[in-house]
């Protein structure tokens, strides 16, 4: 038999790898987090506050402990450069800084639109990750780094697999919009 199954007590007695965090209870080292929200709901601003906290070595972010100062690669392919630069400058006036954060926008890509499922684009991102050696890679937004159908789980599995393979050992923050027909439920 190739697959082994263990009863609960046996399973729980197995060796556990220690879990380490960049931001405790939010972003594990080498992990993948997906931030989902409607367009213009503040996802990029929230990501910039996170990135700044990690880059500046702040002690906390939104009440969560920042456990590791690190470098970040922020791939922004959803917002025009001028608007994006204005956002970053605006964040700086509020005290957010970005030392060790490397930004890429659509104008900086070799080919646009970028498609992580194409060998050349995948190699370009992989080379950049190897050069920078970030602790975190932000993809803003997920929809703009592939040409497939977001509602197709096979396509998305391949997209996430390609991104994960290129970005490891860095953690990834994927920013995405809800899929067509998907509803966001919020508490009151």
């Amino acid at each position: 038999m190739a697959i082994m199954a263990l009863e609960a007590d046996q399973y729980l007695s197995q060796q556990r790898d220690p879990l380490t965090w960049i931001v405790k209870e939010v972003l594990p080292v080498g992990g993948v987090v997906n931030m989902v929200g409607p367009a213009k709901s503040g996802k990029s601003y929230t990501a910039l506050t996170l990135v700044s906290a990690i880059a500046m070595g702040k002690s906390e972010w939104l009440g969560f402990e920042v456990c590791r100062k690190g470098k970040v690669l922020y791939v922004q392919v959803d917002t025009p450069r001028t608007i994006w630069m204005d956002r970053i400058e605006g964040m700086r006036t509020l005290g957010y800084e970005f030392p060790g954060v490397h930004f890429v926008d659509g104008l900086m890509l070799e080919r646009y639109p970028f498609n992580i499922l194409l060998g050349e684009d995948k190699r370009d991102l992989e080379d950049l990750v190897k050069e920078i050696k970030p602790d975190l890679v932000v993809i803003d937004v997920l929809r703009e780094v592939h040409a497939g159908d977001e509602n197709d789980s096979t396509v998305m599995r391949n997209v996430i697999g390609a991104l994960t393979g290129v970005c490891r050992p860095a953690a990834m923050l994927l920013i995405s919009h809800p899929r067509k027909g998907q509803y966001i439920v919020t508490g009151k």
Side-chain angles (χ1 to χ4, degrees):
M1 177 186 255
I3 299 175
M4 179 175 69
L6 301 173
E7 290 185 19
D9 288 342
Q10 292 173 311
Y11 178 75
L12 293 174
S13 70
Q14 298 299 301
Q15 179 180 339
R16 297 180 193 204
D17 294 329
L19 187 57
T20 55
W21 298 94
I22 295 174
V23 179
K24 193 166 188 170
E25 304 300 327
V26 175
L27 183 61
V29 171
V32 178
V33 173
N34 189 15
M35 183 186 303
V36 180
K40 308 299 178 215
S41 62
K43 298 178 303 297
S44 295
Y45 281 111
T46 302
L48 284 171
T49 66
L50 172 65
V51 164
S52 178
I54 293 167
M56 294 176 68
K58 295 282 189 175
S59 61
E60 64 94 21
W61 173 75
L62 299 178
F64 294 94
E65 179 186 356
V66 177
C67 302
R68 175 185 279 192
K69 179 180 179 177
K71 292 191 290 187
V72 178
L73 172 60
Y74 200 117
V75 181
Q76 166 47 263
V77 288
D78 186 45
T79 303
R81 177 181 279 177
T82 299
I83 294 171
W84 187 243
M85 292 172 86
D86 288 347
R87 285 183 184 178
I88 294 169
E89 288 174 341
M91 297 289 290
R92 285 180 134 178
T93 66
L94 297 173
Y96 295 95
E97 293 296 334
F98 304 96
V101 178
H102 302 261
F103 290 98
V104 173
D105 66 29
L107 297 175
M108 299 164 77
L109 297 171
E110 182 77 22
R111 286 161 299 283
Y112 189 82
F114 181 86
N115 185 351
I116 190 64
L117 298 177
L118 296 178
E120 295 169 327
D121 289 348
K122 184 176 178 181
R123 275 189 301 281
D124 287 348
L125 182 58
E126 186 171 38
D127 290 345
L128 190 57
V129 168
K130 285 178 181 176
E131 177 185 328
I132 294 171
K133 296 180 180 58
D135 297 280
L136 172 64
V137 176
V138 179
I139 304 294
D140 187 356
V141 296
L142 183 59
R143 175 68 197 107
E144 296 299 324
V145 296
H146 67 94
D149 179 357
E150 278 191 303
N151 292 319
D152 183 326
S153 63
T154 302
V155 169
M156 293 312 297
R157 181 174 190 240
N158 292 336
V159 168
I160 301 301
L163 286 168
T164 302
V166 164
C167 294
R168 283 237 161 104
M172 276 196 316
L173 172 61
L174 305 173
I175 300 176
S176 58
H177 300 127
R179 294 181 310 213
K180 293 178 179 90
Q182 182 179 12
Y183 298 95
I184 301 293
V185 179
T186 59
K188 292 185 178 191

